[in-house]
């Protein structure tokens, strides 16, 4: 058990450093793209391209990690993500930003689903919710500290510095994983791999997995819209880039410090915590739609984050708990794709809607849609 926990905490550090680098540019990318005169829809395509290619490449990444081990994907993914992030320094318009964003999406697809299956494979079943909460806290803490640090670096040293630092952090994460992370046993015979199971969707036939998959898509649609357009929305009300970083930092820090606790509550109390999280999370987004100042936006994002923190560990656990150990990488590859599907539709579809009705009304539409779909899928969960 001690060695398993050591591996989990090394993985936590690796994911935290990677997400810190991604978070550095999150409050700046939309403003960066907007500076070239791009529409909300074009900005949505830039954000959505990241999610789309992650959806495609995460499916085989999870399956291949079962056969070849998790470590090679974690090392390679973080390294190549870091290198390609450095190329933002050469981007100067829609096409070039889109290309860089696409490649960073490809290589980041080798990280989170593999890390999630690493946790699932090495954690006791009785504490899966708690350890999934711990894993998610690394993602949230990285995204939390990253925007704050990114805004500060941009103000002090120039707008492009966070992009360069973000790339270097990806490279550092790969070094940590290479030297400190123990690989997991290879649980699937290599000769059994085929294009069919590399892109298998068979887990969607499982009631609980498909319900969790749909809930995650619906909740991430609203989160994708917040992440893609918050900077533009807040900037129009006179909120500075640094304060935007503060909001994103607070939002993700709440997720980081509370998910382990809510994961434990799920282990003890069951599914109802998920429903409470769905309601509170979408309420926060609806309040954001009516916010016109830094203070009210800040409060709405905290509410939204608490809701997400309540629901996410339980949803993750429901998706993966009935999957055999030898196929958990494959299942996590498919399940994590739900995040990217949600972000894609949140950024692209809601971005198109925002060009028609405005960002505020788009947030309202997204919140209502997300709640309805999530609630219907929640009812379908098998007790």
């Amino acid at each position: 058990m001690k060695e398993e926990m050591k591996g989990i905490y090394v993985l936590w550090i690796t994911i935290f450093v990677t997400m810190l680098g991604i978070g550095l540019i999150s409050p700046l990318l939309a403003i960066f793209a907007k500076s070239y005169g791009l529409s909300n829809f074009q900005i949505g395509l830039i954000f959505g391209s990241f999610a789309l290619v992650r959806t495609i490449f995460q499916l085989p990444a999870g399956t291949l990690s079962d056969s070849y081990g998790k470590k090679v994907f974690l090392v390679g993914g973080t390294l190549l993500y870091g290198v390609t992030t450095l190329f933002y320094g050469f981007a100067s318009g829609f096409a070039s930003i889109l290309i860089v964003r696409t490649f960073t999406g490809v290589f980041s697809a080798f990280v989170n689903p593999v890390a999630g299956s690493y946790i699932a494979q090495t954690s006791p079943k009785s504490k899966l919710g708690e350890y999934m909460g711990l894993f998610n806290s690394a993602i949230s803490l990285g995204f939390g500290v990253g925007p704050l640090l990114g805004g500060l670096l941009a103000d002090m040293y120039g707008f492009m510095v966070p992009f360069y630092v973000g790339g270097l952090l990806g490279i550092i994460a790969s070094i940590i994983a290479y030297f400190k992370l123990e690989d997991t046993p290879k649980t699937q015979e290599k000769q059994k791999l085929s294009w069919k199971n590399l892109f298998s969707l068979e887990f969607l036939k499982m009631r609980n997995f498909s319900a969790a998959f749909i809930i995650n898509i619906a909740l991430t649609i609203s989160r994708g819209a917040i992440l893609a357009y918050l900077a533009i929305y807040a900037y129009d009300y006179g909120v500075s880039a640094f304060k935007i970083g503060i909001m994103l930092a607070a939002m993700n820090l709440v997720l980081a410090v509370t998910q382990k606790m809510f994961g434990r509550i799920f282990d003890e109390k069951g599914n109802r915590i998920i429903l409470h999280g769905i309601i509170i999370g979408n309420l926060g987004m609806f309040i954001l739609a009516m916010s016109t100042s830094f203070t009210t936006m800040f409060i709405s994002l905290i509410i939204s984050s608490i809701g997400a923190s309540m629901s996410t560990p339980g949803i993750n656990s429901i998706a993966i708990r009935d999957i055999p150990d030898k196929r958990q990488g494959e299942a996590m590859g498919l399940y994590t794709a739900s995040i990217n599907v949600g972000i894609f539709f949140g950024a692209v579809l809601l971005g198109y809607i925002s060009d028609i009705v405005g960002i505020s009304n788009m947030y309202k539409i997204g919140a209502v849609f997300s709640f309805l779909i999530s609630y219907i899928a929640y009812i379908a969960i098998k007790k």
Side-chain angles (χ1 to χ4, degrees):
M1 180 64 68
K2 187 175 180 180
E3 288 300 314
E4 291 172 351
M5 286 304 300
K6 179 182 176 181
I8 289 172
Y9 283 115
V10 170
L11 181 65
W12 190 96
I13 294 170
T14 303
I15 297 302
F16 167 72
V17 173
T18 305
M19 296 302 112
L20 178 64
I22 295 175
L24 279 169
I25 67 174
S26 61
L28 306 171
L29 184 58
I31 299 174
F32 175 59
K34 199 73 172 179
S35 69
Y36 291 99
L38 305 186
S39 67
N40 289 344
F41 179 64
Q42 287 176 309
I43 293 171
L45 287 174
I46 289 171
F47 275 86
S49 66
F50 187 87
L52 180 62
V53 295
R54 278 170 62 91
T55 302
I56 296 170
F57 284 89
Q58 278 180 343
L59 297 178
T63 303
L64 289 170
S65 74
D66 288 335
S67 181
Y68 294 94
K70 318 296 184 192
K71 184 173 179 177
V72 64
F73 289 90
L74 291 169
V75 172
T78 50
L79 174 63
L80 293 171
Y81 171 82
V83 171
T84 52
T85 298
L86 297 175
F87 283 89
Y88 277 113
F90 301 97
S92 59
F94 174 68
S96 55
I97 296 173
L98 182 65
I99 290 171
V100 174
R101 185 70 171 170
T102 299
F103 275 102
T104 57
V106 169
F107 297 123
S108 70
F110 300 143
V111 181
N112 281 12
V114 178
S117 64
Y118 187 105
I119 295 290
Q121 189 170 339
T122 57
S123 301
K125 295 292 186 183
S126 62
K127 293 189 175 182
L128 184 56
E130 180 179 348
Y131 287 176
M132 278 295 181
L134 180 65
F135 165 62
N136 288 326
S137 74
I139 299 173
S140 302
L141 186 61
F143 275 131
V145 176
L148 189 61
L149 182 59
L152 185 62
L153 289 173
D155 285 344
M156 293 178 63
Y157 302 109
F159 193 82
M160 292 306 301
V161 170
F163 291 87
Y164 299 135
V165 174
L168 290 175
L169 285 172
I171 295 171
I172 291 171
S174 72
I175 295 172
I176 294 171
Y178 181 78
F179 286 105
K180 294 295 184 180
L181 189 66
E182 295 294 329
D183 208 350
T184 56
K186 301 172 181 61
T187 56
Q188 187 174 344
E189 295 296 330
K190 295 179 183 179
Q191 62 266 26
K192 292 182 180 180
L193 294 175
S194 67
W195 285 107
K196 182 178 180 180
N197 63 28
L198 284 178
F199 292 92
S200 174
L201 302 178
E202 69 175 272
F203 296 112
L204 291 175
K205 298 176 182 178
M206 301 174 66
R207 182 172 173 180
N208 281 355
F209 185 93
S210 60
F213 188 88
I214 293 169
I215 293 172
N216 218 29
I217 289 177
L219 295 181
T220 313
I221 283 176
S222 59
R223 184 170 176 80
I226 290 174
L227 293 176
Y229 302 107
L230 177 64
I232 299 171
Y233 181 62
Y235 200 73
D236 286 343
Y237 287 105
V239 180
S240 67
F242 181 64
K243 286 186 176 180
I244 293 169
I246 291 174
M247 289 192 292
L248 289 170
M251 180 180 178
N252 288 289
L253 286 172
V254 167
L255 288 167
V257 301
T258 60
Q259 284 200 62
K260 188 171 184 287
M261 175 187 70
F262 285 122
R264 188 183 304 118
I265 292 173
F266 168 79
D267 289 334
E268 295 173 354
K269 304 295 184 181
N271 295 348
R272 188 164 293 275
I273 188 70
I274 297 174
L275 179 59
H276 294 161
I278 290 170
I279 295 170
I280 293 172
N282 285 295
L283 176 63
M285 185 178 180
F286 202 89
I287 295 172
L288 175 64
M290 298 181 288
S291 301
T292 58
S293 68
F294 168 74
T295 301
T296 52
M297 290 180 193
F298 183 90
I299 293 171
S300 70
L301 291 173
I302 295 299
I303 294 171
S304 179
S305 296
I306 291 172
S309 189
M310 293 171 70
S311 59
T312 300
I315 296 169
N316 291 357
S317 298
I318 286 172
I320 202 69
R321 66 187 178 189
D322 298 326
I323 306 297
D325 287 349
K326 66 181 182 179
R327 301 190 68 189
Q328 285 181 342
E330 183 182 353
M332 282 301 295
L334 175 59
Y335 176 72
T336 311
S338 66
I339 299 174
N340 304 312
V341 172
I343 290 176
F344 179 81
F345 282 108
V348 177
L349 179 59
L350 293 184
Y352 177 77
I353 291 173
S354 74
D355 279 333
I356 299 172
V357 301
I359 295 178
S360 177
N361 289 326
M362 175 269 287
Y363 279 147
K364 294 177 184 176
I365 294 170
V368 172
F369 176 81
S370 175
F371 170 74
L372 291 175
I373 298 300
S374 299
Y375 181 70
I376 292 170
Y378 170 81
I379 294 173
I381 293 175
K382 185 177 181 180
K383 309 301 184 196

